[in-house]
């Protein structure tokens, strides 16, 4: 489903060149549940943004469901993102002037789904925010904002869920509830990739990918928990 | 040092009233190292904002170093914040158009410190960002931004350090380095209050406070690790 070959992503800072991703090779099949781990600054979010068609790269190739992503224009990328991908951002990226409910309805409105309100409300209930749907992001706690971001990614029942540190702001009980939701999604033969620094979450994933300085140092290990 | 008595903080949403803090009583002596734990939405950040003189409350009293905080005007509060308190925000609150170095220098400039640049650089080295000092926040990873926020709070060697989820975006090795820095600060007889949902961090604090629905449910337990 996802095939990265020699992918490079660099940033130029003055005379320096920073390799955020340094010749990354990665094959992910449909229905997998992977954890991406590695030190702060090692390239995890960069990898996720490229897989999620949010960012372009500088060298190498990326095939998603058989299509070469770098041949697609911006409209086509936006369409893939809306149709196939659910993305939970490390910094949430909620729209500040919309309520939690409106933020979660948005991907459904783009798809022209019938009855977006009830679907959005249902997912907000699932993440424990049933009594917060009319709050704006600045009227929510950090973990509540994180859960709105999670709800928004799940509401379209995406084929591929990309979650960048989804439990970073949650207590363990609330985090458990979120992982239950991910398990339910995975049982529907969805593909899930989670960036996490929490060992318990990484250990629940059948496969773990280690990043360090933009390079993948381990990718075949099937962790038998 | 810190004395909260019957503190109440509410938010009005339409006809509903939300008690973010519900009659909170709390005594903290100089030199303590406390963990604040509790579910998402239980009032932890609200409590920290009030202790840190960033937010006003609706009932009760708060005495900081013997002074009644609600009698102080905005200028006096700003002065206390700059002189005595270092605050690490759950959402970092970095200035986007300044570099990491400039963000960390800012509290020193307010104090009129001599040689702010070298002090700011030293703390950025301490948090592992020596090679990122000229990056702007949008040129940094999530955990790097978190570390800039940490450096900014530590650079003034504050009497009271308030840290709201300081390791939420950090891998365990980098998180360990940050906790080492906190230990060093604490050995200088500084008072540290950390909001965290990570059990290992909470267990290292001699005292733990549990919040639930805006109420303190436990505050005397000295956790013998
Ligand atoms: N401006 C506001 N208007 C209405 N409700 C608010 C506002 N700010 C916060 N709240 C509510 O107050 C409660 C406490 O918020 P707070 O940010 O202190 O929680 P928290 O314990 O820090 O949570 P987390 O662990 O998720 O960061 C939450 O339920 C939140 O929805
Ligand atoms: N716009 C940019 N300009 C320069 N360098 C950048 C830019 N964006 C990211 N970087 C650098 O690229 C590297 C990888 O960033 P990335 O966000 O992928 O790390 P990460 O593994 O997600 O880290 P974290 O665990 O802290 O979130 C970092 O060292 C960062 O400083
Ligand atoms: Mg990241
Ligand atoms: Mg909070």
């Amino acid at each position: 489903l996802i095939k990265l070959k020699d992918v490079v992503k660099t940033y130029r800072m003055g005379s320096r060149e920073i390799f955020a991703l340094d010749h990354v090779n990665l094959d992910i099949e449909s229905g997998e549940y992977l954890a991406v781990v590695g030190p702060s600054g090692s390239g995890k979010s960069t990898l996720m943004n490229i897989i999620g068609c949010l960012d372009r790269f500088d060298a190498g190739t990326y095939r998603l469901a058989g299509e070469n992503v770098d041949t697609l224009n911006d409209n086509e990328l936006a369409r893939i993102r809306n149709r196939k991908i659910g993305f939970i951002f490390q910094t949430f990226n909620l729209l500040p002037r919309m309520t939690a409910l409106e933020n979660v309805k948005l991907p459904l409105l783009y798809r022209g789904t019938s009855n977006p309100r009830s679907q959005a409300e249902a997912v907000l209930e699932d993440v424990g925010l049933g009594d917060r749907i009319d709050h704006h992001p600045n009227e929510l706690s950090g973990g509540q904002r994180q859960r709105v971001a999670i709800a928004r990614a799940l509401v379209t029942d995406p084929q591929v869920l990309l979650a960048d540190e989804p439990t970073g702001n949650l207590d363990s009980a609330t985090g458990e509830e979120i992982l239950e939701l991910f398990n339910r999604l995975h049982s529907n033969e969805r593909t899930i990739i989670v960036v996490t620094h929490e060992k318990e979450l990484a250990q629940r994933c059948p496969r773990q990918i280690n990043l360090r300085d933009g390079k993948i140092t381990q990718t075949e290990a099937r962790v038998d928990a």
Side-chain angles (χ1 to χ4, degrees), chain A residues 174-193:
Chain A
T174 312
E176 253 326 290
E177 293 170 29
I178 296 307
L179 300 186
E180 284 302 313
L181 288 179
F182 288 12
N183 284 340
R184 233 166 57 190
L185 192 79
H186 186 230
S187 62
N188 287 342
E189 293 168 295
R190 300 292 189 253
T191 308
I192 303 184
I193 306 175

Side-chain angles (χ1 to χ4, degrees), chain A residues 30-54:
Chain A
S30 180
E32 286 204 62
Y33 192 165
L34 279 92
V36 176
V37 301
S40 171
S42 55
K44 305 181 295 296
S45 296
T46 305
L47 178 65
M48 296 289 269
N49 289 342
I50 284 170
I51 291 175
C53 300
L54 289 154

Side-chain angles (χ1 to χ4, degrees), chain A residues 132 135 138-144 169:
Chain A
R132 290 284 184 276
H135 286 233
N138 68 343
E139 295 166 330
L140 292 170
S141 75
Q144 289 168 345
N169 279 284

Side-chain angles (χ1 to χ4, degrees), chain A residues 41 44 87 93 107 125 184 206 220:
Chain A
K44 305 181 295 296
F87 204 113
N93 293 358
E125 293 260 350
R184 233 166 57 190
E220 295 312 322

Side-chain angles (χ1 to χ4, degrees), chain A residues 38-193:
Chain A
S40 171
S42 55
K44 305 181 295 296
S45 296
T46 305
L47 178 65
M48 296 289 269
N49 289 342
I50 284 170
I51 291 175
C53 300
L54 289 154
D55 224 1
R56 297 201 180 264
F57 45 97
D58 302 308
T61 56
Y62 168 28
R63 295 180 76 80
L64 173 63
E67 273 196 279
N68 242 359
V69 163
D70 41 295
T71 63
L72 303 176
N73 64 38
D74 285 352
N75 277 340
E76 290 165 311
L77 287 178
R79 199 165 172 286
I80 284 183
R81 287 199 301 270
N82 183 256
R83 293 276 149 181
K84 291 192 187 290
I85 297 171
F87 204 113
I88 301 165
F89 294 89
Q90 187 171 10
T91 48
F92 317 157
N93 293 358
L94 301 178
L95 297 179
R97 285 184 287 175
M98 289 188 168
T99 63
L101 181 66
E102 290 162 342
N103 265 284
V104 176
K105 274 166 73 181
L106 212 51
L108 297 175
L109 297 179
Y110 281 129
R111 284 194 181 196
T113 313
S114 60
N115 213 345
R117 184 189 171 100
S118 63
Q119 277 187 266
E121 274 195 37
V123 188
L124 281 163
E125 293 260 350
D126 283 345
V127 299
L129 292 178
D131 62 352
R132 290 284 184 276
I133 66 175
D134 297 322
H135 286 233
H136 293 82
N138 68 343
E139 295 166 330
L140 292 170
S141 75
Q144 289 168 345
R145 289 175 206 169
Q146 184 154 42
R147 285 183 275 161
V148 176
I150 292 168
R152 180 181 60 182
L154 292 176
V155 76
T156 52
D157 192 25
Q159 199 176 331
V160 181
L161 177 70
L162 302 173
D164 197 346
E165 302 282 2
T167 57
N169 279 284
L170 301 175
D171 57 285
S172 30
T174 312
E176 253 326 290
E177 293 170 29
I178 296 307
L179 300 186
E180 284 302 313
L181 288 179
F182 288 12
N183 284 340
R184 233 166 57 190
L185 192 79
H186 186 230
S187 62
N188 287 342
E189 293 168 295
R190 300 292 189 253
T191 308
I192 303 184
I193 306 175

